[in-house]
Amino acid sequence: MTLKTTELPRLNLTNPDPKALAAEILQALKYRVGKDATVATREDWLTAAIKVVRDRIVDRWHESTKEAYEAGAKRVYYLSLEFLIGRLMRDAFSNLGVMDAMREALATLGVDLDVIAALEPDAALGNGGLGRLAACFMESMATVGVPAHGYGIRYANGMFRQEIHDGWQVELPETWLDHGNPWEFERRERSFEVGFGGTVESVTSKDGRLERHVWKPHDRLLAVAYDTPVVGWRGNRVNTLRLWSGMPIDPILLDAFNAGDHIGALRESNKADALSRVLYPADSSEAGQELRLRQEYFFSTASLQDIIQRHLSQYGDLLTLPDKAAIHLNDTHPAIAVTELMRLLMDVHLLDFDTAWDISKRTFAYTNHTLLPEALESWAVPLFERLLPRHMQIIYAINAEILLEARASDQFNGEEISRISLIQENGERRVRMGNLAFAGSHSINGVSALHTELMKETVFADLHRLYPDRINNKTNGITPRRWLFQSNPGLTTLIREAIGERFLDDIDALTELDRFAEDASFREQFASVKRANKERLAALIMERQGIRIDPSALFDIQIKRIHEYKRQLLNIIEAVALYDQIRSHPERDWMPRVKFFGGKAAPSYHNAKLIIKLANDVARVINRDPAVRGLLKVVFVPNYNVSTAEIMVPAADLSEQISTAGMEASGTGNMKFALNGALTIGTLDGANVEIKECVGDENIFIFGLTADEVAERRSNGYTPRSAIEGSPELSQALAAISSGVFSPDDRNRYRDLMDGLYQHDWFMVAADFDAYADAQRQVDAVWRDSPDWYARAIRNVARTGWFSSDRTIRQYANEIWNVPA
Ligand SMILES: *Cc1c(COP(=O)(O)O)cnc(C)c1O
């Protein structure tokens, strides 16, 4: 066979012939990987299989692009410093409807699809929820037919890989590009110059009038585009994820090279490389590093230059930009784009300030993701001025404009005005990126109903009063393709058998499953699917960690970033208290339970890392104690990421969503679990509130202080010591941890952590402990009555289709972007 790939017959997308596919895979292996079947490694087969499917995607991609172009459709540009994608192969195969055919084709070649699928590295270009949301949104935009581009950074090293050594987190670099990335297309021709530092010159006309400013950067480099196609469900649309990589303008400095300084000659190359080298591994906490600001500007300017070039080549005029482009800022990381668009419009395209400002506000929209004060981005004015001198001027100009509006409105006192300012004046002067994003956008959205209300009352109270029609809510969502169809094929098949196929295309149809909660035989089938998912997880834990787990135990799972506000500590302390109870009351009828933890801590976050160690220390003691008789096990699963989540979520009976009320903006882990039939134990925080409304009070375990009560306790002088002393169970658990029962090798290891609970307990662990422990005993009671448990679990599945990111994206499309969906 010497057929060139281009001469192969084009196959029917939805019903490809496995034989023809097998031939194509062999062709790809030979001509694109350069290998013969006899010597091909499993990675080679993976690459060949992906290339074959990618070709089909490219066809749809070009059609999608052409359609949008010819229709003059408004495009959405989603700017995000993080895209936590995970693996793409299953997503693409399944969305294109070629999964079964590819499986069969590979089998005829002696290759197991599941085996090669497991070799694909996770694209972990994000920390947690925010990055995963961006990935779900990309898939949903392609699914509901919104022409969109995602823009971000192609980090060579994404999120670190976590290993646990002697119970401690160890961070290792993740090298996901080692075997190349078969999904992406490098677009050298699509590169843009990025500058830093230097000076600003003013150009004046002959009569001395200021005409414009010209920024003369000191450092310059290139941003080069790498494109990954994103396939919607049923191949509906294919959108582009465009990630920028840094490249030097002069890769080798000839002067230095000729002078024999071969290392120095690479200086520019190294600088450019640094920009897209690492993802900052801090989730919801300040980074504040100069390189981070450089990264933010780097991807913002490249994306805007790209958007402007595309717009001008089609429409020839930037006044129509807001009608043809919606630029979305995922958190404040790309907020610098507001000033960059202003600069490009004024300094390069010679529009006046008012026109540019009007265009910007009508083009940008911003999503706020956190109310945590330490996570609200701000930059020291001297640093900002040094790196981006022209942008600093523009910020002052914008500030003058909004402060004028505020004063003119006559409703603010001096202190309120200072809170509206883009510059924080008390202490070190800093640029407030949240205020900048707010001022420069026509829409500011929160990510759950509660979060949006709190946003109006706290961080943006004054700006909201000034611009009352900007804040709106868009409760987060998750894509059911990845988080149900692909990760839980057993449940998906069961649902199809019960209610038919419609829910595959219209997730609202899941509600038809509700009545099956009453059906005893369906409940049994549901339980056996859950059981199989638990066995799969147990096998993985056995293989990776050598820990034996009983799949008939209740699987109680808390997986998410390790952060004090998420309160893994509350869960661990409850495990210690339960351990104590099991030992003191062996006569009681305890229900076997396995508590799973998983999550990464920011490398510089001391307490979070200590909490990981505590989980591991507690696990070691409990799991070895014969007095526990296997009734309680604790497992810390290392290196939590998207692929691990896809195995753990379908195996959960109980979902732990126990953040201090008022602190979790939304959560999306909570949605994944509920959709897969886990019951939630949680506080009235973030989207838990809406999950409760959807599933009904009887089908969720809510406990603890509300956001209002937390605020009230705080302002009335909360004294954790009295809460602790009022709870014998809690006091004993804290005393055991503090005295070194779980750390005999270092008895003082947890003393400070425990003292912190007595002294300030910022996250109200003590205040919520008894309510949490009571809720856990209610969980046991319902679990004991197993038909009732599964009825509730089925209702969770049936009632959480609303949390599909398709719904979220349609709301963004209709209410923010003004594009059809
Ligand atoms: C969904 C997801 C998250 C977000 O989890 P939360 O519980 O909402 O914090 C974080 N990391 C990964 C890998 C995820 O899949």
Side-chain angles (χ1 to χ4, degrees), residues 133-155:
L133 184 76
C136 283
F137 278 7
M138 287 305 298
E139 200 265 359
S140 276
M141 287 190 283
T143 294
V144 308
V146 172
H149 293 245
Y151 281 112
I153 294 180
R154 180 180 177 270
Y155 302 105

Side-chain angles (χ1 to χ4, degrees), residues 104 119 131 137 139 254 278 341 492 534-535 689 693 723 789 798:
E104 222 181 299
L119 295 174
F137 278 7
E139 200 265 359
L254 284 180
V278 289
L341 181 61
T492 306
K534 290 164 76 172
E535 282 168 359
V689 177
E693 281 162 13
W789 180 278

Side-chain angles (χ1 to χ4, degrees), residues 209-246:
R209 258 185 330 111
L210 176 70
E211 273 195 336
R212 62 182 179 125
H213 294 276
V214 180
W215 176 28
K216 298 271 166 71
H218 178 267
D219 291 332
R220 294 178 308 130
L221 71 137
L222 294 177
V224 179
Y226 286 75
D227 288 351
T228 300
V230 179
V231 192
W233 178 234
R234 304 222 193 256
N236 210 14
R237 229 202 111 73
V238 180
N239 280 329
T240 307
L241 175 60
R242 175 160 284 184
L243 301 177
W244 302 104
S245 186

Side-chain angles (χ1 to χ4, degrees), residues 400-471:
E401 177 76 19
I402 63 166
L403 294 183
L404 197 72
E405 286 178 20
R407 291 205 181 87
S409 80
D410 237 8
Q411 41 169 346
F412 300 100
N413 63 32
E415 197 187 314
E416 290 159 347
I417 294 273
S418 77
R419 288 200 296 257
I420 288 172
S421 174
L422 302 186
I423 312 289
Q424 176 190 313
E425 302 278 359
N426 48 345
E428 184 192 31
R429 298 181 75 231
R430 301 181 73 85
V431 183
R432 293 172 169 147
M433 302 308 274
N435 288 24
L436 174 62
F438 195 117
S441 301
H442 61 88
S443 162
I444 293 89
N445 75 282
V447 289
S448 73
L450 175 64
H451 166 69
T452 299
E453 286 315 302
L454 292 173
M455 221 167 78
K456 291 180 188 166
E457 290 165 17
T458 60
V459 263
F460 293 136
D462 304 289
L463 276 161
H464 174 55
R465 217 152 34 103
L466 182 57
Y467 305 116
D469 54 356
R470 292 194 190 176
I471 293 188

Side-chain angles (χ1 to χ4, degrees), residues 95-221:
N95 277 8
L96 275 183
V98 299
M99 182 69 90
D100 293 341
M102 283 299 283
R103 183 184 297 282
E104 222 181 299
L106 285 162
T108 65
L109 301 167
V111 178
D112 183 334
L113 185 140
D114 293 325
V115 169
I116 60 167
L119 295 174
E120 187 182 6
D122 267 44
L125 310 182
N127 274 282
L130 175 148
R132 185 53 234 173
L133 184 76
C136 283
F137 278 7
M138 287 305 298
E139 200 265 359
S140 276
M141 287 190 283
T143 294
V144 308
V146 172
H149 293 245
Y151 281 112
I153 294 180
R154 180 180 177 270
Y155 302 105
N157 295 110
M159 192 54 190
F160 65 82
R161 185 159 55 84
Q162 178 195 59
E163 285 187 5
I164 302 296
H165 293 178
D166 186 31
W168 295 100
Q169 167 174 296
V170 174
E171 302 103 31
L172 297 151
E174 187 70 273
T175 49
W176 69 294
L177 293 171
D178 270 0
H179 294 277
N181 177 358
W183 289 110
E184 70 186 6
F185 292 87
E186 183 180 344
R187 308 267 192 228
R188 288 270 169 152
E189 76 288 0
R190 213 63 189 170
S191 68
F192 296 95
E193 215 176 282
V194 179
F196 290 104
T199 52
V200 180
E201 288 170 12
S202 352
V203 178
T204 45
S205 61
K206 284 195 193 86
D207 57 1
R209 258 185 330 111
L210 176 70
E211 273 195 336
R212 62 182 179 125
H213 294 276
V214 180
W215 176 28
K216 298 271 166 71
H218 178 267
D219 291 332
R220 294 178 308 130
L221 71 137

Side-chain angles (χ1 to χ4, degrees), residues 343-359:
R343 183 186 75 84
L344 293 168
L345 294 178
M346 294 193 297
D347 297 359
V348 180
H349 298 280
L350 307 180
L351 298 178
D352 61 51
F353 178 92
D354 290 342
T355 308
W357 186 227
D358 179 63
I359 291 175

